[in-house]
Amino acid sequence: MKNLSYKDYLLVGLQALLFIVYIVNLKIIDIKLSSVITTTGLLIAIIGFFIFLIAILQLSNNLSPFPTSKNDSSLIKNGLYKYMRHPIYTGILLMFYGYGVYQESLYKILITSVLLILFSVKSRYEESKLKQKFPSYSTYALITGRFLPKLLVKNS
């Protein structure tokens, strides 16, 4: 592993803290939703789980919780990574938002919104590191979305 900075540890520590805060089931802000919406939330959470799992498998030996990549890592641009740069974050966010809706927990939805902000900051930092390590990363970033696939609109 390259030399990790305090920022690497801080971002991963905050992420772990948000995961713990999410898991702690504080029933302080519950909402009432229709069964159609809660079932949809559960389906979104399941889709998120599979995106997360597939992205981890595709990243393989490159996987690290830290934004600074491993010394021997390579740039993965196939599979889910062909369409989005951070499918693991996407999967986690879909799981957490979907489960929050399923549980009718505004608390979980709010924690996930804070996690989205953290993932935005963490991914920007990670991408600055990837641009230094992989000269082709800037081009890759132009054609793929950060958390969702980029919609290409062709002018006729």
Side-chain angles (χ1 to χ4, degrees):
M1 184 68 65
K2 285 187 173 181
N3 294 332
L4 298 175
S5 73
Y6 76 92
K7 195 167 186 177
D8 286 275
Y9 289 105
L10 176 65
L11 291 168
V12 171
L14 289 171
Q15 180 179 323
L17 179 64
L18 286 172
F19 286 177
I20 291 166
V21 169
Y22 183 91
I23 291 169
V24 173
N25 197 14
L26 296 179
K27 293 253 180 209
I28 54 175
I29 312 173
D30 285 342
I31 51 179
K32 189 65 184 151
L33 302 170
S34 74
S35 62
V36 171
I37 293 174
T38 58
T39 302
T40 302
L42 182 59
L43 290 173
I44 289 170
I46 291 168
I47 291 167
F49 173 76
F50 283 108
I51 290 171
F52 171 76
L53 185 63
I54 291 166
I56 283 177
L57 293 173
Q58 290 174 343
L59 204 52
S60 186
N61 294 334
N62 295 304
L63 184 64
S64 169
F66 295 104
T68 300
S69 60
K70 295 178 176 179
N71 290 334
D72 60 347
S73 65
S74 57
L75 182 59
I76 306 298
K77 297 191 289 187
N78 55 9
L80 292 175
Y81 292 88
K82 180 178 180 178
Y83 305 102
M84 58 187 123
R85 302 188 304 271
H86 302 279
I88 291 174
Y89 297 162
T90 300
I92 291 169
L93 290 168
L94 289 174
M95 279 191 297
F96 281 28
Y97 273 125
Y99 190 69
V101 168
Y102 174 70
Q103 289 288 299
E104 300 178 313
S105 173
L106 187 57
Y107 169 79
K108 287 188 183 302
I109 293 168
L110 291 172
I111 295 300
T112 306
S113 298
V114 175
L115 187 62
L116 171 61
I117 294 166
L118 177 67
F119 280 165
S120 294
V121 171
K122 185 179 177 191
S123 65
R124 280 186 178 84
Y125 176 65
E126 182 176 346
E127 290 183 353
S128 72
K129 298 284 197 170
L130 289 168
K131 286 175 185 174
Q132 292 171 4
K133 183 171 183 169
F134 302 107
S136 65
Y137 192 86
S138 292
T139 303
Y140 168 68
L142 288 174
I143 59 173
T144 56
R146 182 177 303 237
F147 299 127
L148 297 172
K150 189 175 270 192
L151 299 176
L152 299 175
V153 178
K154 293 184 179 181
N155 295 329
S156 0

